[in-house]
Amino acid sequence: MQEKEFVALVNKLELYERDHPATYRLRVGLLAALGYLVLFGALAVALAVVIGVIYAGRINLLVIEILIIVLGLAFVILRSLWIEFPEPEGHELKYDDAPRLFDLVKEVRTATRGPSLYKVLLTNEYNASIVQRPRFGIFGWHENYLQIGLPLLRALSPADIRAIVAHEFGHLSGNHGKFTSWIYLVRQTWTQMLETAEQHRRDGLGVFAHFFKWYAPYFNAYTFVLARAQEYEADRCAVNVSGKEKMACALVNMRLKGKMLAEDFWPAMHGRADTDPEPPRESFAEMLQSLLDPIPPEKAREWFSETLTVRHRYDDTHPALADRLAAMGYPEVRKNGNLEAFVAAEDHPRADHHLLPRLPADFIEQQNQLWKEEMAANWAERHQFVAVAQEALAGFEQKAQSAELTAEERWERARFLAGKDGAVAAISLMRDVLALEPDHPGANYTLGEALIEQGDEGGIKYLEAAMEKDPHAIPSGCEMIVSFLTARDRLEEADKYRDCISGYYDELAWARRERETVLKSDLFQPPEWQSEVLAELRRQLANVPLLERAYLVKKVCKHFPQDTCYVLGVTSKRFLGLQLDNRDTKLVEQLATTITYPFYTFIIPLEHTYKPLRKIFRRIERAEIYRRGAPNHNENLP
């Protein structure tokens, strides 16, 4: 199912769920049961075969082979049905650590008639959630964990936290909570089953792979609508507990403080990598401190207006903020955009001070160290880039005083400046590049990005020029245009670019399928690698003991033809013409994990299914790039 079809089905199901909620849930349940029926039906057939063989009493080599296949198939199905859910991460809080928090949680749980909690976990995330962990897979017996982030407690008031916790319990209250938990588990089962079916296609699960490729998109669409509908139900549950004003304020405050982290704190934090060689030692503590700072009113209004223009997405079951507020009783929020109706003065006590007066020992220090370790690699890479960029820019500046820079040198200068100081700083240099090369994709993209950032609609034409030359720029380029148009209430125009994004990912999916299969009917060409690149590949191939011969061909692809795709066909050593101990499989695994390929390369053994390709590859000029025991031959190959 392509993305457009998925979106259309979701939109249709949302209308059906709204008008016929009970019938819709029945359909979801029956669709989930269908998957189980197929799996347990297959197990029943396997069991019947085993019983029939035992009852017949005739055992020979063929019967033993059949039993091995049937029992192996049954084992793989049963293994796929056993899903392991790791225990959620976080520091476990006890009642003595945070009595007010535990009392608040107990009060909300009673009001929502939610399930009891197994543990309350303090995390470093700007979020709160209740995670259900089934101890016995599909047989249930859930443990419920409340994960609540210290940053969220620092950012919001106790009233906000109460509303958010009520929303989380709303997901699990009543019968619909149990149904949702079961559906979530079923989704996990089918995801794992599909992965297993793909991995064991040759072991008899290929038929299941075909079934779940048809089944999974429909089940995903049906359950996606269910998950989004239950976000609204959880909001209604929170409104019943806290009132619509407090729930709306909690959502808006949470969104604005999150925006502050994304727009102010993190850019400033990462910007320090330009001058500091290492991340700060107390990054987590600095983030907590920043959450105490009030958001300037003009910035808060700007962010609130931007947030109200965001529409719901199809990769996230959470509805857009404006839709959630409208469902709570603020239908005109998109038109009015009155922030003052939702945000109170920031003189309220912070939830962590009130609910968690005594932090766990060393918690902040542990998070400081963890964040420093997680940022270290990207931080060092950025610091090194800025150093290289400064040196390169100084060199280009010096050369420009005595000679004309080439188009490539102008592009490198503009690229380094944009990477160091941002796209806006490089506008004039990007225009210099385009004066010599009007179709340059990188310069068009960066100039378009800079103009869009400044609110200049002229950036759209440059982004379109970049996307025409480089299709892989479509998702990010169209996202920028969509945000620009949506903020100006030009929704119909924005939809066209959303369709472009959908079309790109549909094409990308086809391209991946095309590159993950090799057929006799495909068109192949000689490799176009440079001699030194081939020489390096041969050197690596010579270190693989199982390899006998290797053929390299270029596969002609219809989808994204500019992205070259190569096929490496290999044969393994034989003993008296026989293959021993699945060495073809071992050979492909070795070649995939130990060899470095400069381009996308799909590796296949020229046996069994792919055996007809051996003759085709032999007829292609320069396709044979390696033959063991023929060093002179290998050296003379192009």
Side-chain angles (χ1 to χ4, degrees), residues 440-571:
H440 194 289
N444 272 296
Y445 184 91
T446 309
L447 180 57
E449 178 185 11
L451 295 177
I452 288 292
E453 184 179 338
Q454 292 184 318
D456 185 346
E457 187 172 349
I460 294 178
K461 71 175 182 180
Y462 291 104
L463 289 174
E464 289 178 336
M467 293 185 291
E468 183 178 354
K469 293 297 180 182
D470 179 14
H472 296 303
I474 288 175
S476 56
C478 285
E479 282 287 356
M480 277 191 280
I481 298 173
V482 166
S483 297
F484 178 87
L485 295 174
T486 303
R488 288 153 181 80
D489 203 27
R490 295 159 62 179
L491 302 182
E492 291 187 6
E493 294 177 70
D495 285 340
K496 297 177 183 178
Y497 291 96
R498 285 194 180 91
D499 291 342
C500 288
I501 297 175
S502 299
Y504 168 82
Y505 283 115
D506 289 341
E507 184 74 5
L508 185 64
W510 284 109
R512 286 173 178 168
R513 294 190 192 103
E514 189 177 31
R515 285 158 175 78
E516 292 172 356
T517 57
V518 182
L519 305 174
K520 185 178 179 181
S521 57
D522 289 335
L523 180 62
F524 304 100
Q525 295 177 348
E528 298 175 350
W529 292 11
Q530 296 178 351
S531 57
E532 58 269 21
V533 178
L534 278 173
E536 172 59 22
L537 177 60
R538 291 193 193 98
R539 185 191 67 77
Q540 296 183 65
L541 293 176
N543 295 325
V544 181
L546 289 178
L547 179 62
E548 180 66 25
R549 293 194 185 193
Y551 299 86
L552 183 69
V553 298
K554 177 182 176 182
K555 178 179 176 179
V556 179
C557 296
K558 298 178 181 178
H559 305 280
F560 293 138
Q562 71 278 6
D563 297 341
T564 54
C565 170
Y566 287 92
V567 179
L568 184 68
V570 296
T571 60

